Amino acid sequence: MNLSRARHSLAPWARIATLAVCALLTLGPVIWTVSTSLRVPAESFDLPPKIIPTDPTVESYRGVFDQIDVWLLALNSTLVTALIAVGQMITAGLAGYAFARLEFRFKKPLFGLVLATMMVPLQVTIVPVFLVLKSMGLTDTLLGLIIPAFPTAFGTFLMRQYFLGMPKDLGEAAMLDGCGPWRIFRSVYAPLAAPGLAIVGVLAFNYHWNEFFRPLILETSGQNYTLPLGLVSLQGNLGTGSISVVLAGVVLSMIPAVVVFVVGQRPLREGITSAGVNR
Amino acid sequence: MTNTRIPDVRPKQPTAARSAPVAAPRPSARDRGTRLLATLFLAPTIVGIVVFTVVPIVGSVVLSLFHWNVIDSPSFAGAANYREVFGDSTVLVSFRNTLVFMVFAVALQLLIALVLALAVNGRMPVWLRSVFRSAFFFPLVLSAASISVVMKYLFNQDFGVVNWLLGLVGFAPVPWLTSENAAMATVILVYVWQQFGFSFLLFVGGLNNIPKEIHEAASLDGATGLRKHLTITLPLLSPTLLVASVVGIINALQVFEQPYVLTNGGPGDSTRTVVMVIYESAFEQLRFGEASAVGVLLFVLIMAVTALQFRLSRRFVHYQ
Amino acid sequence: MTDSHLTRRTLLRYGAYGAGAAALAGTAASWDRLTGADIPGRDDGSLVVATLGPAYGPEAIRTLTEGFKRVHPDIKLRINAVQAVDWSDFFAKILTQIAAGTAPDLVYVATEGVQLFAQRLGVPLDRWVKRDAEELREYFADVHPSLVESMMYEGSLYQLPVEFNAADIYLNNQVLKRAGADFPAADWTRDDFTALLRDMKRASGSQFTPYFWTNRLWGGVVPWLFANDTNLLTESKAPGGAWLWDSFYPAAERAGRGGGFRWTTPQADHARVEEAYDYLASLIEEDLCNRPEGGNGQNLIGVFSTGRVGVTPAGGFWAGGLHLAGMKAGGFDTQYFPRWRTQRMQFGAAGYALLRTSKRQEEAWEFIKYAARRDTLMRLFNTNQTTPARRSMLTADRYRETGPDRWQVFYDTLDKFPDTGPIPAPPQVAEVEQVLLKHTGTALASRRAVAPALRRMQSDLEKAMERDV
């Protein structure tokens, strides 16, 4: 795929230099965070900041592992995030296909309903949600975090766009061959959906890996805490925790998201490409 | 992916509706099958939404008609909560703040994303393009709350890295978080920094889908640089712009973490947003009825803005 | 369509199958984890205690649980450390549980929430205190009456304080040396304070702030109001409480004690309040102090320990924090808040509140007593992350490793200044605090802004106090 189509009036080197500055600005806070987590606390606030620590130490990371049960927290976070991601891929894939390629009554209002859920702030519904979960016996369980997150408005929207972007003659040809609606989905469209599903999965992972408010309200037992909740301990009583340890915790927690992003970057790009264009 | 692109699929034309009856050998049976499949496919999403969103929303709407402090049983209040809300200057200010935030945050986010997407799309080594793309998307993978803690330090007036950098080039220290004028700008900056990567990716994708021939034809006609972008690229990109702005606005109207951590709504009320007010009146002041009323109003506002956008989009969005 | 494309697609498909299978297998294997079935003692009638997470790490929870088990092997105990960043997050959690009818039996509550919980949710401890008076005599003898009084509401006691923090002044010794200044005397005045800040500023230049403070209820503007002999709300004492004072405290110490504080009429537009704000505004104007910054003061430890700040108000909790930040014991020291019209100081305390909804009140009382025992607190507060409420625990030994040298200041703040009192925290505390923080931000924009902002603060406070919580 040849991407360089647009010829710009700006000289290429100037354009690339500007981009480099922008990239540096974008990554600056992240670089500062990583480098501060590798310095002793006394050097945390040095100006100019020692971006390359003269005396790097992993003491802060040891501190994180000493103070909180990183492995249990990471296991919980992984379970919650992975299952939500898989669940959203399934619900969004199916619903997105239905909205894009199947004909049924109330299609438009139902699609509107799905989109409208994007517009509801979490803080408004958290108490009723808690009551619903309680009636299901799911409070203070990881499932209580996972199941309500299965329906995804944006994911459904994305998958609908994605399926709309596929040539419909493929389905029509299959229909002429006598395939029923299920077969058309199963053998014609579903195999093409992988990149779209990948983006739903990656976005779900990103969002739910970092989620704080829902776990705070819904989980009670320490054994059920997710990583973002556990990291709060590092801040210490009234914010007296070591800033290096706090940042080491932040860096540790961003590793899986980075890995997922790097691995998922290509499908992510392809998925977003078709989602953004076809209306 | 070249074979999967259909340029002229539009939202108002349900494709299956047009094609299905034409080719279907046994319409009724097939329709039944389709409907059954649709029901099965939609069930997980719709059931989930009804149980975990619609029921709680109905709960909130009902709650907005009651006084409830969680501890005692609710007492009916009629429209009192709404009257209270409309008479509360903090609530009104928070709506204004949220709208100001939305306009600037979304505009800035789209502008930065668009310019960078165009720049990245220019001629350069493949590996470099990939580095830039990753860099611009990176902040999106971070947690808003923890990165805001970092930003709070970086933007500190006296010891922050930002003012130190400005000092190097001769600027006086800026009270980023502690003056009413600067605080909102800082919150917007931090928000945009984290969010623009999403629109950026959308635009990169959108640009990839613009057929090469169109640009070549334009170049032959003598269109160059900015003019070419304004007259050709932008209209072709307008569907992507619509998606980016709809999602951007919906998210911006619900901003919470950044102002909560960076300024806690201050100084004064200058960065207090609607969702912050909802959170404060519910969980700090035990006024769940009023909090629900504000929530209902916010919901209505978001719906109205989104509907307006789609209406406007009919005029400005061009499909290839 | 090329072969490589097909291969990739096939790969993706098998990848999807693989992921699906792995998810199913993972779900099945971790079913107990997902449903919480692997957590022992859930919903088994345990006594449930909610504490603030950052203050109670896993280590502390283990200590508490195991220690309690030794004393009361028959009572099952579960401690939930709520991982809230601040009090409002903490309340959000507790309130949601109350709304759903799954409230804990005991909640760790600081001064900010004492009266709110007492008025709406709490059970007075009076009958148990009277019953177990003999057992508690040693506790009360060790705890300053001001701390106990701050846990009373309308004549009844609602918590046994286990920790407190007064707003004392921390000074960076290195900055003092740079400024060629002596360590301030115990009876230093506001003018001495100003002069010291000027010396520090002269000696240290830019990127240095002599006095740094955080805009919050505890340790923000309120210490200055106290020093200027005023308060945000009129302060009086409820009648009653004699039942406690008479049985546990000698005559000298119970003089003037009552049944807890009442904070009633707002007085933000009073001359002395304005005077205090005007003073702070003048410090800001002179560049001697930061503009009001919101939040929990998270960056403060770092900038103080590295000499970018000379002076700041903090309590005993900072000794442990500075040590963690790598500050040596001799690098800082503490002194009382400077005298203005008075040298009255402010504090916040915390303990366990028993909820009315609890069905295990007797067991809960046993936990309250256990949590206030000296040996419990010794184990719990071994890193100086707070000031213990028990006087006998403040020893040279405790502060040898972390500092400060003048560790006596922490408890003497109560002993030497018996009028030192809690931050104003009526049941409407959440709104009061919000109004205070909000208008403090605008009042200190400039000296001209003080008076109008305080007038607005006054009218907002009036509205807040009228409301029935």
Side-chain angles (χ1 to χ4, degrees):
Chain A
M1 214 182 275
N2 179 19
L3 294 160
S4 9
R5 294 163 187 145
R7 192 178 288 276
H8 296 261
S9 46
L10 212 58
W13 66 266
R15 183 165 46 82
I16 289 174
T18 316
L19 277 173
V21 171
C22 291
L24 211 61
L25 283 177
T26 311
L27 291 182
V30 183
I31 294 167
W32 184 84
T33 306
V34 175
S35 107
T36 306
S37 74
L38 290 169
R39 278 177 278 160
V40 292
E43 289 179 0
S44 304
F45 297 94
D46 280 358
L47 287 176
K50 282 191 202 134
I51 290 300
I52 314 239
T54 40
D55 216 359
T57 165
V58 292
E59 202 50 52
S60 308
Y61 289 85
R62 212 166 288 146
V64 175
F65 281 89
D66 284 350
Q67 288 175 44
I68 57 177
D69 190 345
V70 177
W71 299 115
L72 178 66
L73 295 168
L75 170 70
N76 288 344
S77 274
T78 309
L79 280 175
V80 169
T81 319
L83 287 176
I84 290 178
V86 172
Q88 289 199 354
M89 284 155 76
I90 295 171
T91 61
L94 297 180
Y97 182 78
F99 283 125
R101 284 276 175 260
L102 300 177
E103 217 33 53
F104 51 92
R105 261 186 305 175
F106 308 123
K107 183 164 159 176
K108 269 182 82 173
L110 280 177
F111 189 60
L113 172 76
V114 172
L115 286 191
T117 60
M118 263 202 280
M119 308 172 192
V120 186
L122 203 60
Q123 288 80 356
V124 177
T125 54
I126 191 77
V127 171
V129 165
F130 191 91
L131 292 171
V132 170
L133 285 173
K134 192 194 162 207
S135 71
M136 300 169 135
L138 286 178
T139 52
D140 196 25
T141 66
L142 296 182
L143 281 181
L145 275 179
I146 296 168
I147 294 174
F150 278 163
T152 157
F154 188 67
T156 306
F157 173 73
L158 221 69
M159 290 312 295
R160 171 182 172 269
Q161 302 299 88
Y162 200 78
F163 283 115
L164 279 179
M166 294 177 187
K168 56 176 181 287
D169 24 333
L170 287 181
E172 280 162 8
M175 194 147 51
L176 289 176
D177 287 350
C179 291
W182 164 252
R183 276 291 300 279
I184 295 175
F185 170 72
R186 166 70 192 72
S187 1
V188 179
Y189 288 112
L192 297 172
L197 290 175
I199 171 182
V200 173
V202 170
L203 289 180
F205 192 97
N206 259 347
Y207 181 82
H208 291 282
W209 182 263
N210 291 322
E211 210 180 359
F212 183 78
F213 189 62
R214 274 192 334 128
L216 169 75
I217 299 295
L218 300 180
E219 302 302 325
T220 309
S221 306
Q223 290 92 330
N224 284 339
Y225 288 164
T226 55
L227 211 44
L229 279 189
L231 292 179
V232 168
S233 276
L234 303 177
Q235 300 185 3
N237 193 14
L238 302 162
T240 50
S242 156
I243 182 86
S244 307
V245 178
V246 172
L247 295 183
V250 172
V251 173
L252 282 179
S253 77
M254 87 194 176
I255 291 173
V258 172
V259 170
V260 166
F261 170 63
V262 170
V263 172
Q265 203 193 14
R266 181 159 171 189
L268 195 62
R269 216 164 49 233
E270 291 175 359
I272 274 187
T273 300
S274 54
V277 170
N278 301 298
R279 287 280 330 162
Chain B
M1 301 306 305
T2 36
N3 62 337
T4 63
R5 196 189 305 131
I6 286 201
D8 64 343
V9 178
R10 297 178 197 201
K12 302 295 167 212
Q13 299 165 337
T15 43
R18 279 187 305 166
S19 50
V22 181
R26 289 186 356 250
S28 64
R30 182 172 294 279
D31 281 359
R32 258 203 313 280
T34 306
R35 243 176 278 141
L36 178 67
L37 197 67
T39 312
L40 288 176
F41 278 16
L42 286 176
T45 296
I46 299 297
V47 169
I49 284 176
V50 167
V51 174
F52 294 109
T53 311
V54 176
V55 168
I57 287 179
V58 171
S60 302
V61 174
V62 171
L63 206 53
S64 74
L65 303 173
F66 284 81
H67 289 303
W68 190 42
N69 66 3
V70 170
I71 297 152
D72 307 311
S73 39
S75 64
F76 187 72
N81 286 325
Y82 289 92
R83 271 198 303 276
E84 182 88 6
V85 161
F86 279 110
D88 187 332
S89 62
T90 305
V91 177
L92 300 180
V93 167
S94 78
F95 270 96
R96 199 194 62 197
N97 288 341
T98 305
L99 287 173
V100 169
F101 175 89
M102 176 203 87
V103 168
F104 285 97
V106 174
L108 202 60
Q109 178 185 334
L110 294 184
L111 186 71
I112 293 177
L114 185 61
V115 170
L116 290 178
L118 286 172
V120 166
N121 231 21
R123 206 181 299 263
M124 72 175 73
V126 174
W127 65 269
L128 195 59
R129 176 174 297 124
S130 167
V131 166
F132 284 142
R133 269 191 201 141
S134 309
F136 296 141
F137 187 76
F138 196 87
L140 214 59
V141 310
L142 305 170
S143 115
S146 39
I147 207 66
S148 297
V149 171
V150 170
M151 288 296 193
K152 194 172 169 182
Y153 167 73
L154 295 179
F155 279 101
N156 181 288
Q157 181 181 1
D158 301 301
F159 337 99
V161 176
V162 176
N163 272 351
W164 172 76
L165 282 172
L166 288 179
L168 290 186
V169 285
F171 283 99
V174 178
W176 293 105
L177 298 166
T178 49
S179 95
E180 290 201 43
N181 299 328
M184 180 55 94
T186 311
V187 171
I188 291 174
L189 223 57
V190 170
Y191 179 88
V192 169
W193 171 80
Q194 181 156 32
Q195 293 286 325
F196 81 87
F198 188 73
S199 321
F200 169 80
L201 272 200
L202 284 178
F203 290 148
V204 168
L207 287 174
N208 282 352
N209 276 13
I210 295 177
K212 187 153 63 168
E213 305 75 43
I214 295 185
H215 271 290
E216 279 162 3
S219 297
L220 286 179
D221 289 346
T224 50
L226 192 63
R227 228 193 85 214
K228 189 171 79 183
H229 285 319
L230 282 180
T231 53
I232 297 166
T233 318
L234 224 59
L236 289 177
L237 210 55
S238 54
T240 316
L241 264 168
L242 178 68
V243 176
S245 62
V246 167
V247 176
I249 284 178
I250 288 176
N251 287 334
L253 287 174
Q254 296 178 48
V255 60
F256 175 72
E257 269 106 344
Q258 286 86 356
Y260 186 67
V261 175
L262 287 170
T263 60
N264 199 13
D269 279 331
S270 56
T271 54
R272 205 173 305 278
T273 64
V274 178
V275 175
M276 279 186 76
V277 166
I278 292 171
Y279 179 76
E280 287 164 355
S281 46
F283 291 112
E284 292 179 12
Q285 300 164 6
L286 313 189
R287 296 147 80 169
F288 278 79
E290 274 183 61
S292 303
V294 180
V296 169
L297 292 178
L298 178 63
F299 183 62
V300 170
L301 174 75
I302 297 179
M303 293 256 273
V305 172
T306 310
L308 185 72
Q309 264 182 295
F310 277 113
R311 184 156 290 258
L312 285 177
S313 76
R314 279 186 215 152
R315 228 185 307 159
F316 296 111
V317 175
H318 304 266
Y319 297 96
Q320 295 170 25
Chain C
M1 204 48 85
T2 59
D3 279 341
S4 78
H5 240 93
L6 277 176
T7 319
R8 201 168 72 82
R9 187 157 293 152
T10 319
L11 266 178
L12 275 171
R13 182 151 90 233
Y14 286 119
Y17 290 157
L24 275 181
T27 311
S30 47
W31 188 250
D32 283 355
R33 189 77 286 281
L34 291 168
T35 52
D38 59 345
I39 303 174
R42 262 171 35 115
D43 312 319
D44 63 346
S46 292
L47 179 70
V48 180
V49 182
T51 63
L52 188 59
Y56 285 76
E59 191 65 41
I61 291 174
R62 219 170 299 130
T63 308
L64 268 179
T65 323
E66 281 165 14
F68 187 71
K69 202 173 176 182
R70 269 196 298 279
V71 189
H72 294 286
D74 50 320
I75 303 176
K76 284 188 224 150
L77 172 72
R78 248 168 37 95
I79 294 180
N80 294 327
V82 178
Q83 298 300 92
V85 185
D86 49 31
W87 277 105
S88 61
D89 273 358
F90 183 74
F91 283 142
K93 168 95 186 181
I94 303 293
L95 287 172
T96 313
Q97 292 184 323
I98 292 171
T102 55
D105 300 291
L106 289 162
V107 179
Y108 199 64
V109 177
T111 303
E112 281 87 342
V114 168
Q115 298 206 347
L116 172 67
F117 270 79
Q119 192 203 35
R120 283 289 162 183
L121 301 158
V123 179
L125 305 177
D126 303 9
R127 63 186 161 112
W128 290 291
V129 173
K130 286 174 194 161
R131 190 189 73 191
D132 296 343
E134 280 319 305
E135 199 184 337
L136 289 170
R137 208 160 291 286
E138 174 271 341
Y139 167 82
F140 284 111
D142 205 11
V143 176
H144 196 280
S146 292
L147 298 179
V148 175
E149 198 178 18
S150 75
M151 297 299 190
M152 294 182 91
Y153 181 65
E154 298 299 325
S156 290
L157 183 69
Y158 282 86
Q159 300 173 33
L160 297 184
V162 298
E163 59 157 319
F164 80 103
N165 281 291
D168 294 307
I169 290 284
Y170 275 66
L171 297 109
N172 184 315
N173 281 335
Q174 178 205 339
V175 175
L176 275 179
K177 212 164 112 194
R178 206 158 55 199
D182 291 330
F183 196 82
D187 60 348
W188 64 326
T189 64
R190 191 200 73 166
D191 293 336
D192 299 336
F193 178 81
T194 319
L196 178 66
L197 299 188
R198 290 198 182 116
D199 287 344
M200 286 180 168
K201 185 74 198 174
R202 249 196 309 281
S204 300
S206 69
Q207 277 164 35
F208 171 82
T209 303
Y211 178 65
F212 198 101
W213 60 289
T214 307
N215 187 14
R216 55 184 172 196
L217 185 57
W218 185 97
V221 179
V222 176
W224 291 108
L225 299 180
F226 277 34
N228 202 25
D229 200 17
T230 183
N231 204 337
L232 200 59
L233 308 163
T234 53
E235 182 186 294
S236 60
K237 282 185 183 174
W243 63 271
L244 189 145
W245 306 123
D246 290 350
S247 45
F248 294 109
Y249 288 94
E253 285 187 37
R254 62 181 183 236
R257 303 287 168 195
F261 284 92
R262 277 177 182 164
W263 293 284
T264 44
T265 316
Q267 46 182 21
D269 53 357
H270 280 205
R272 285 189 187 172
V273 174
E274 195 177 325
E275 209 173 23
Y277 272 89
D278 196 55
Y279 172 63
L280 281 172
S282 75
L283 291 184
I284 293 171
E285 206 173 63
E286 252 190 272
D287 240 356
L288 297 176
C289 133
N290 64 308
R291 284 156 177 260
E293 183 182 283
N296 60 3
Q298 209 161 35
N299 300 325
L300 186 48
I301 290 238
V303 290
F304 178 86
S305 64
T306 52
R308 286 172 181 75
V309 161
V311 183
T312 193
F317 65 96
W318 249 47
L322 288 175
H323 182 68
L324 261 181
M327 205 166 187
K328 297 279 170 294
F332 68 98
D333 212 338
T334 49
Q335 188 53 282
Y336 306 118
F337 212 82
R339 166 181 296 277
W340 190 347
R341 281 192 168 83
T342 72
Q343 205 163 358
R344 182 185 195 216
M345 278 167 270
Q346 58 120 73
F347 67 81
Y352 293 91
L354 172 53
L355 297 197
R356 245 169 258 174
T357 45
S358 169
K359 293 186 181 66
R360 285 171 282 272
Q361 303 200 347
E362 287 297 331
E363 291 92 332
W365 168 245
E366 291 306 319
F367 181 84
I368 292 177
K369 278 191 298 181
Y370 162 76
R373 278 164 53 151
R374 191 171 190 277
D375 55 342
T376 310
L377 294 182
M378 284 298 275
R379 280 198 299 272
L380 209 53
F381 296 154
N382 55 0
T383 55
N384 286 340
Q385 71 276 41
T386 187
T387 328
R390 284 170 168 271
R391 186 188 284 106
S392 68
M393 286 174 65
L394 282 88
T395 58
D397 206 35
R398 163 173 293 271
Y399 291 100
R400 184 159 300 128
E401 204 192 336
T402 62
D405 290 345
R406 289 177 177 79
W407 51 268
Q408 294 95 334
V409 162
F410 296 140
Y411 218 93
D412 283 354
T413 300
L414 302 172
D415 282 335
K416 296 234 168 95
F417 307 93
D419 59 345
T420 289
I423 45 178
Q428 298 90 340
V429 63
E431 273 187 291
V432 167
E433 182 176 15
Q434 200 199 334
V435 168
L436 171 76
L437 302 192
K438 179 163 112 181
H439 293 297
T440 298
T442 42
L444 297 179
S446 73
R447 288 180 87 160
R448 269 198 325 265
V450 170
L454 289 181
R455 276 198 298 276
R456 282 196 301 275
M457 188 193 294
Q458 175 70 12
S459 84
D460 281 4
L461 281 175
E462 280 164 5
K463 248 185 284 168
M465 293 302 292
E466 268 168 28
R467 265 178 31 92
D468 186 29
V469 180

